[in-house]
Amino acid sequence: AREKARAISCLSNQKQISLAVIMYANDYDEAIVPQRVAISPFAFNDNYYDYLLNPYIKNDSVWTCPSAGTPTSFGTVLTKSIGMNEKVALDFAGWSAPPGPLLLANMDYPADLIVMCEINPQPKNDDISFGTGTIGSPFRACYAHKDDAANTLNNLDKPYLRHQHGSNYAFGDGHAKFKRPIATLEPVNEWLITRPDVTDITDCNSVE
């Protein structure tokens, strides 16, 4: 019962974040918030998605899922456990910036596109690495499903199974929903911007 209450609180947080993504897009020519933008060339104090969305939320606690544990501090920065889907998390502070942001109009099926998801805890306004489970991916969701079935869960898969074998997700149309990892991949791969062909989840590389 306690876990159910925590899951509901987390889902409410995801809903607030999802609506903030829409409000941000309305203010920035329908552009979805990027994963990060550089304050200045070669700066390490980049602005990340949570910092960019905070003016629309004004509540730091929404970035921490109650089931991820009590928020701890990296120095003076609290942790966050809700992050972006890597497929929409455009990195404008990286070595190879994308040609342009993801626009609302470019989402084929916004109600079936994951924008935000649960992640491993990391510092706020920061992202440790794209490869440590601190950003969501269909590849990791696939492995979470397989590892859950085989009872071989590892740390990278935990966010996808945080709430009794499932997790909360925020979608491109502003709604949020609890899903098991398999439901994010079948019958539709909800991680990708355009609706892909049906993939074979026995090969997790194929879902990317």
Side-chain angles (χ1 to χ4, degrees):
R2 291 190 184 97
E3 169 50 34
K4 188 67 175 177
R6 289 192 289 266
I8 291 172
S9 175
C10 178
L11 183 62
S12 176
N13 290 347
Q14 290 269 30
K15 175 66 174 178
Q16 291 183 63
I17 293 170
S18 183
L19 293 176
V21 170
I22 300 297
M23 288 188 286
Y24 179 98
N26 288 335
D27 285 346
Y28 288 90
D29 298 324
E30 295 198 349
I32 294 296
V33 62
Q35 190 253 347
R36 64 174 178 168
V37 294
I39 297 174
S40 61
F42 305 105
F44 290 97
N45 55 339
D46 300 312
N47 283 337
Y48 287 78
Y49 52 89
D50 52 321
Y51 180 88
L52 297 170
L53 290 179
N54 273 347
Y56 304 91
I57 301 173
K58 299 179 181 179
N59 181 2
D60 275 352
S61 65
V62 302
W63 293 101
T64 303
C65 171
S67 295
T70 303
T72 56
S73 178
F74 287 82
T76 59
V77 182
L78 291 178
T79 58
K80 61 185 173 187
S81 56
I82 296 174
M84 293 194 78
N85 167 11
E86 68 172 2
K87 300 303 180 182
V88 303
L90 304 183
D91 183 6
F92 284 98
W95 292 106
S96 57
L102 170 62
L103 304 178
L104 294 178
N106 293 341
M107 298 182 186
D108 287 354
Y109 299 90
D112 294 329
L113 175 63
I114 293 169
V115 175
M116 295 285 176
C117 57
E118 297 194 56
I119 58 173
N120 283 330
Q122 61 173 292
K124 282 184 59 60
N125 196 31
D126 194 7
D127 185 67
I128 300 169
S129 168
F130 271 62
T132 62
T134 60
I135 199 163
S137 77
F139 178 81
R140 289 256 59 96
C142 179
Y143 263 96
H145 165 66
K146 297 174 80 170
D147 290 349
D148 188 35
N151 197 28
T152 57
L153 184 64
N154 67 65
N155 186 57
L156 292 182
D157 300 333
K158 285 182 179 178
Y160 305 91
L161 302 164
R162 185 169 282 156
H163 303 295
Q164 298 173 333
H165 303 276
S167 186
N168 292 313
Y169 299 89
F171 291 83
D173 67 342
H175 86 281
K177 191 173 183 179
F178 169 87
K179 283 180 174 281
R180 295 183 182 276
I182 186 62
T184 69
L185 300 166
E186 291 185 341
V188 175
N189 188 331
E190 297 177 331
W191 296 90
L192 305 183
I193 295 171
T194 57
R195 180 163 286 180
D197 295 333
V198 176
T199 51
D200 177 12
I201 65 161
T202 60
D203 174 15
C204 289
N205 289 305
S206 72
V207 304
E208 294 276 25

